[in-house]
Amino acid sequence: MDRDVLERRIGPRSFARLLGPWRPPGGRGLASALTERVRLLVLDGRLPLDTRVPAERELAAALDVSRTTVAGAYDALRAAGFLHSRRGAGSWTRIPAGPAVGADSPSPFSPVTDEHLVDLATAALPSPSDALRRAAAAALTDLDGHLGGHGYTLAGLPVLRAAVARRFTDRGLPTTPDQILVTSGAQHAIALLLALFTGPGDRVVVEHPTYPNALDAIRGRGCRPVPVPLGPDAERPWDLDQLTATVRDTAPALAYLIPDFQNPTGALMDTATRAGVVELARRTRTPLIVDETLAELPLDVPGPVPVAAHGAEDGSLVMTVGSASKVFWGGLRIGWIRASPSVVRRLAALRPSIDLGGAVLDQLVAARLVDEVDAVADERRETLRTRRDDLRAQLTAAFPEWRVPRPSGGLSLWVDLGAPVSSLLAGAARRQDVLLAAGPRFGLDGAFERHLRLPYTVRPDRVPTAVERLVVAWRTLGSVPHSAEAERIAVA
Ligand SMILES: Cc1ncc(COP(=O)(O)O)c(C=O)c1O
């Protein structure tokens, strides 16, 4: 088979766009600045592994630098293990072998085990350990009733489907258990829905910025994400007219929205827009994924009523994705899809080609927890309120030039840095042992260099250290020494 057909490559102009503003102020140290930026793009997943990069001469022309600069950068990237080349054939991106990741099958999610490192790239709390232990102990007893069966449940365990359905009903969206499919987390739910509703070449409308792993799933399916910008108006960031025009103009196979404390902006969709979005989906027959992963974390507002409750209750067109990861624990790997019974059956039918259902014990634990959600969520919200306000206060004091908004829920701050330096800052912070998810990770084509997502899930005793190190990193912007750490920066 023709290798070029299968090969992933990036052209010189696209590469230049992806690099964004990479030149150091003063224009010195171009090769090492270029090295550093490519390294970051590989580590945070914006430049996929095994992508063929442009030839030195082509890239030099696209960047308007000397070929020596590009050759120097490529040499340094090769030496550090971020590129491998075959003479006369080209160079491909890769991740160096190391203790945490293998060179051939790098884990995009290398857990941060280094106590010295401050992880500001992951927006997730540790488990509510007491509640989790209690639920796990009860689930062990519940397990007895299942041990005589084969244990495969393509749509999920009935007891968990019933518990999730009850929770939707309590939140204002009457739901029956046959409308629920249990998944291994919300990310898996998104991938299953993409598999059901899209094919290669289809367009999928997304908010811009949006959740990076959803973008990756859309692209991984061979679809084209079509961005609709979230506006700066804190009261009404979703522009329904623009969304409508985009759906009309591009006829997407699917739209994917995060209306509740949107990741990364924290924005909350108002009731009128919720109704408008449902109406748009119905009028244009556009299936809509509503990602409710953060819906149980309102901090200063009442819990939002699900989008589907505004005229799409049957779930045939508006599919709601939920997760146990943020309110309970990411380590549970439990999520769900609420849709019509018929969509649930079709999802269950396509599932065996991907997986054969979730673990029985984990689902039993989740079922116990979902029934306790109010108590657990109350505690989480209390913790998060304090941490949000504390991190904001420390950031505002240390960086008067940053604009640090106060989201009404969710897990992170979407900070405006006042200058397009997010990737530079992520590189500089890494050298101070701080992991950051740079703004462009949440966008397309290098957008959001002025922004940085900072989760307030970080342990309070680590915040002063985190801020001190960020101050050092911020001051060193412009000098870009090389470092060779190789763990992939994961975003949740
Ligand atoms: C908006 C959004 N969707 C999906 C996910 C993935 O969640 P899960 O851990 O349930 O797969 C996340 C995790 O951060 C998220 O923020």
Side-chain angles (χ1 to χ4, degrees), residues 112-119 429-435 459 462 465-466 469:
V112 176
T113 48
D114 180 350
E115 258 298 295
H116 186 63
L117 210 56
V118 181
D119 181 0
R430 185 62 191 86
R431 289 186 292 280
Q432 305 301 325
D433 291 318
V434 177
L435 284 180
R459 252 172 39 205
R462 310 231 56 196
T465 310
R469 291 183 191 174

Side-chain angles (χ1 to χ4, degrees), residues 202-207 224-229 238-257 269 276-289 317:
D202 281 344
R203 285 180 277 261
V204 178
V205 164
V206 295
E207 294 134 350
R224 198 137 34 100
V226 179
V228 177
W238 281 267
D239 181 339
L240 196 53
D241 291 340
Q242 202 170 1
L243 190 59
T244 305
T246 306
V247 168
R248 286 242 168 83
D249 293 349
T250 63
L254 194 65
Y256 166 78
L257 299 178
M269 189 182 279
V277 161
V278 168
E279 178 52 29
L280 173 63
R282 288 160 65 96
R283 221 174 37 241
T284 58
R285 304 299 306 157
T286 307
L288 169 64
I289 301 179
L317 204 54

Side-chain angles (χ1 to χ4, degrees), residues 98-183:
V101 278
D104 293 324
S105 54
S107 153
F109 237 150
S110 59
V112 176
T113 48
D114 180 350
E115 258 298 295
H116 186 63
L117 210 56
V118 181
D119 181 0
L120 290 177
T122 307
L125 287 168
S127 73
S129 37
D130 286 346
L132 201 82
R133 277 194 203 96
R134 272 198 313 276
L140 266 185
T141 314
D142 299 339
L143 185 64
D144 281 341
H146 295 269
L147 292 176
H150 55 55
Y152 289 96
T153 57
L154 286 174
L157 274 193
V159 63
L160 179 54
R161 296 173 78 192
V164 173
R166 269 196 305 278
R167 183 65 186 164
F168 273 114
T169 305
D170 290 349
R171 292 176 54 224
L173 178 58
T175 301
T176 49
D178 61 352
Q179 288 185 274
I180 302 296
L181 180 106
V182 177
T183 63

